[in-house]
Amino acid sequence: MAGTDKRKQSLYFPESMLQDIQHEAARLDRSLSWIVQRCVKIGLPEIRKLPSVNDVEEGEGGEEG
C-alpha cells in the first residue's frame, strides 16, 4: 500500500502538554499533527527501550502478599 494513511484518531493530552505542542506548532508554522508525528518519530527509539508489562518478573512491582 503506497501513500499515507489518512485515518483520524482522537488523542487527549494534559492541558500543559497541549499548550507546549501548540506553542511549538506556532513557532515552526506547522500543524499540531505534524508536531506530534515528529515527536513520535524522534522519541520512539527511547520508548522502545522501556520494559513491557510482560518483561517485569513476578514479585516485582510493589505487590506484597
Side-chain angles (χ1 to χ4, degrees), residues 25-39:
R27 184 180 72 84
L28 297 171
D29 193 26
R30 297 287 189 159
S31 68
L32 298 178
S33 177
W34 187 91
I35 298 295
V36 172
Q37 288 175 46
R38 292 297 299 163
C39 288

Side-chain angles (χ1 to χ4, degrees), residues 18-60:
L18 180 58
Q19 288 173 353
D20 288 341
I21 295 168
Q22 290 171 327
H23 173 78
E24 292 305 320
R27 184 180 72 84
L28 297 171
D29 193 26
R30 297 287 189 159
S31 68
L32 298 178
S33 177
W34 187 91
I35 298 295
V36 172
Q37 288 175 46
R38 292 297 299 163
C39 288
V40 169
K41 187 173 183 173
I42 292 166
L44 205 51
E46 288 300 314
I47 300 284
R48 287 186 174 134
K49 291 178 187 176
L50 298 173
S52 72
V53 193
N54 298 325
D55 293 341
V56 178
E57 293 185 24
E58 252 182 73
E60 291 183 30

